[in-house]
């Protein structure tokens, strides 16, 4: 059985999970680097940046759950397929561009 992109389901699933793992690893490295920095006058900025990275990590986890339940790539607001180009840039994205603009 093929997915909506014409690829065998397990191949596409593995590709998406690898991309999400790569994103997670990058964010974890970023977070570790932030936490290793000596405290300075930018405590509030560093805390805000670390919080933003943690939000992305939770979005990555949610995207992995969508892969497992078969809803990955579907906009969570309007159920339209999120374009592949968007998913390649932001593999953890929940919404199509139109709905993302509404949710900001």
């Amino acid at each position: 059985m093929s997915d909506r992109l014409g690829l065998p389901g397990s191949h596409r699933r593995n590709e998406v999970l690898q991309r999400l793992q790569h994103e997670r690893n990058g964010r974890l490295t970023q977070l570790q680097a932030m936490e290793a920095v000596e405290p300075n006058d930018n405590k509030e900025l560093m805390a805000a940046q670390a919080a933003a990275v943690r939000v992305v990590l939770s979005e990555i986890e949610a995207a992995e759950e969508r892969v497992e339940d078969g809803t990955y790539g579907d906009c969570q607001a309007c159920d339209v397929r999120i374009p592949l180009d968007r998913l390649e840039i932001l593999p953890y994205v929940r919404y199509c561009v139109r709905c993302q603009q509404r949710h900001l």
Side-chain angles (χ1 to χ4, degrees), residues 19 23 27 72 83-93:
R19 184 168 287 148
E23 284 287 328
R27 301 303 173 158
Y72 179 81
L84 181 58
D85 292 345
R86 181 164 169 76
L87 290 171
E88 286 178 355
I89 295 168
L90 295 169
Y92 49 85
V93 71

Side-chain angles (χ1 to χ4, degrees), residues 28-96:
L28 288 172
T29 300
Q30 187 179 15
L31 190 58
Q32 289 168 348
M34 284 182 215
E35 291 171 347
V37 171
E38 291 292 321
N40 58 35
D41 294 335
N42 295 324
K43 289 179 190 176
E44 290 179 19
L45 175 62
M46 293 299 285
Q49 289 175 335
V53 170
R54 287 185 186 96
V55 167
V56 172
L57 287 168
S58 69
E59 289 296 320
I60 292 168
E61 185 176 317
E64 289 172 333
E65 291 172 12
R66 290 192 301 277
V67 169
E68 295 302 322
D69 70 19
T71 62
Y72 179 81
D74 296 334
C75 176
Q76 291 189 321
C78 70
D79 284 333
V80 165
R81 263 322 262 170
I82 298 170
L84 181 58
D85 292 345
R86 181 164 169 76
L87 290 171
E88 286 178 355
I89 295 168
L90 295 169
Y92 49 85
V93 71
R94 293 177 183 260
Y95 304 108
C96 66

